Amino acid sequence: MDSTRLAPLTTDGPRQRVRRPRRPWQRAAAWGAGLVLAGTTVVVGCRAFGSDGVTPVPQALAFLPLLLVPGGLALALAALGRWWTGVAWAALVLAATGWFVRPYGPGSTGAYGPVAAQVRVLTSNVEFGDATDGLIAAVGRERPDVVFVQECDLQCADALAARVPRAQYPYREVARLDGSRGSAILSRFPLGAGRAVPSVMAQPGATATVAGRAVRLQLAHPMPPLPFDTEVWERELRGVRDFAAGAKGSPTILAGDFNASQDHAGFREVLRAGDLHDAARLAGRAREWSWPADRRTVLRTQIDHVLVSDHFSVRGVRFLSLGATDHRAVLVDLDLREA
């Protein structure tokens, strides 16, 4: 007979945690979180790596702050679905989005010294000339020194010639074209020759003499990033960037409808190339919307900008509703400094 004693059964030792299976609605929540996170991660990732990507990324980047909504939704769905990897993923996406919502670039220019001249600048997209009456009224009311007009069609150009007194704006650079292609620069300061930036919609330029100094003026109006057809937008933004690089070191005002926000890499390249600053950023209004002007939609962004070189400081920025256009005009008060 075998004298080996059998070891008694025991319940001692580490207790294993029993994982309860997810319920169908929890699995659905986790899948929903994954789908939402996949899309938001692509957009935020492009923002992080300085790329505008392909459709629909350029269009989504214009509304980057709104990605906090799907990011928060994904976090809630991941938690409901007990998908803890997804919870961490969503938290990371939310943190990155919040970081990029911050205004881009420094909060001041390098301008210092006595004020040589005060310059008020107005830029407005009048949408195929429909807001010409509102623009002319704003010019008479606000009395800007330099006016940049985009989408100034033939009737708009004729109205500016007939109804904006030459005595007040004797110097003009007008690209008299029909539809959205027309543009104009009106100035109280003497204008010299400038070079237009090649584009589908006219982007004229000029050189103004302000307090004895030559100031480069350039109107910006690249094509918008149309879905599945962003190549023209990218090329024309590069043309604006090349102008900024060529004007670097000179007093410069670059204004218009850029069809790009601070979250687009192409727009940030313009700023970097010319050491330029967004006036709205300097005035603490970097996230103020300019398009669309309709208050009823939450999809709003700032694509109309006034960019200035280090020779200027900014006293104030206002956004004006002119009516009959989907853009708000931007009115900027600048000081041209002696040093």
Side-chain angles (χ1 to χ4, degrees):
M1 182 176 180
D2 189 354
S3 60
T4 303
R5 302 179 63 180
L6 297 175
L9 294 175
T10 177
T11 59
D12 294 340
R15 300 179 61 183
Q16 294 186 354
R17 183 176 179 181
V18 178
R19 185 174 182 179
R20 291 178 299 172
R22 289 182 186 147
R23 297 177 180 178
W25 65 268
Q26 290 175 320
R27 288 195 296 271
W31 272 102
L35 291 174
V36 173
L37 283 172
T40 53
T41 300
V42 169
V43 178
V44 176
C46 285
R47 176 64 175 86
F49 288 99
S51 170
D52 288 327
V54 297
T55 301
V57 173
Q59 295 79 16
L61 280 171
F63 308 104
L64 182 78
L66 295 180
L67 292 184
L68 292 169
V69 175
L73 174 64
L75 179 64
L77 289 174
L80 285 173
R82 294 192 293 117
W83 181 35
W84 309 121
T85 300
V87 169
W89 182 5
L92 181 61
V93 169
L94 280 172
T97 306
W99 174 262
F100 290 125
V101 166
R102 297 161 50 252
Y104 173 81
S108 64
T109 68
Y112 64 95
V115 176
Q118 292 184 337
V119 182
R120 173 169 282 189
V121 176
L122 176 68
T123 181
S124 175
N125 181 323
V126 293
E127 194 177 9
F128 297 95
D130 291 346
T132 302
D133 291 342
L135 171 66
I136 292 174
V139 167
R141 182 176 64 252
E142 304 294 345
R143 299 186 177 275
D145 299 297
V146 182
V147 183
F148 296 86
V149 190
Q150 304 92 57
E151 297 197 22
C152 184
D153 66 356
L154 297 177
Q155 291 183 341
C156 167
D158 292 342
L160 294 179
R163 296 166 53 193
V164 177
R166 284 277 178 178
Q168 296 177 10
Y169 296 92
Y171 308 102
R172 308 183 181 205
E173 183 68 34
V174 180
R176 195 174 185 277
L177 300 169
D178 203 10
S180 65
R181 297 181 299 148
S183 296
I185 301 175
L186 311 182
S187 174
R188 296 182 187 272
F189 306 114
L191 293 182
R195 294 182 61 185
V197 174
S199 57
V200 175
M201 298 181 288
Q203 299 184 116
T207 301
T209 302
V210 183
R213 302 177 69 179
V215 176
R216 302 282 297 272
L217 303 180
Q218 180 61 51
L219 183 147
H221 194 200
M223 286 289 287
L226 301 175
F228 304 103
D229 186 19
T230 60
E231 293 82 1
V232 177
W233 171 70
E234 293 169 348
R235 182 176 67 248
E236 294 188 356
L237 266 180
R238 287 195 297 269
V240 176
R241 178 202 64 194
D242 293 342
F243 161 80
K248 187 175 181 178
S250 303
T252 301
I253 300 174
L254 172 57
D257 171 11
F258 286 74
N259 278 309
S261 73
Q262 71 173 49
D263 296 306
H264 287 109
F267 177 73
R268 298 195 303 276
E269 288 175 3
V270 172
L271 295 175
R272 282 193 292 265
D275 280 346
L276 299 176
H277 308 270
D278 195 329
R281 161 71 175 107
L282 301 182
R285 306 186 72 173
R287 290 295 179 181
E288 184 85 11
W289 89 94
S290 68
W291 177 87
D294 191 344
R295 289 175 177 267
R296 291 173 294 180
T297 177
V298 297
L299 295 176
R300 297 190 297 232
T301 185
Q302 185 182 122
I303 58 175
D304 301 87
H305 309 275
V306 175
L307 310 184
V308 297
S309 63
D310 279 339
H311 306 81
F312 294 91
S313 57
V314 178
R315 285 183 286 116
V317 172
R318 284 189 286 148
F319 291 81
L320 310 178
S321 296
L322 303 185
T325 173
D326 56 348
H327 290 255
R328 293 205 295 172
V330 186
L331 184 70
V332 178
D333 287 308
L334 302 171
D335 287 333
L336 174 61
R337 301 283 179 167
E338 290 187 358

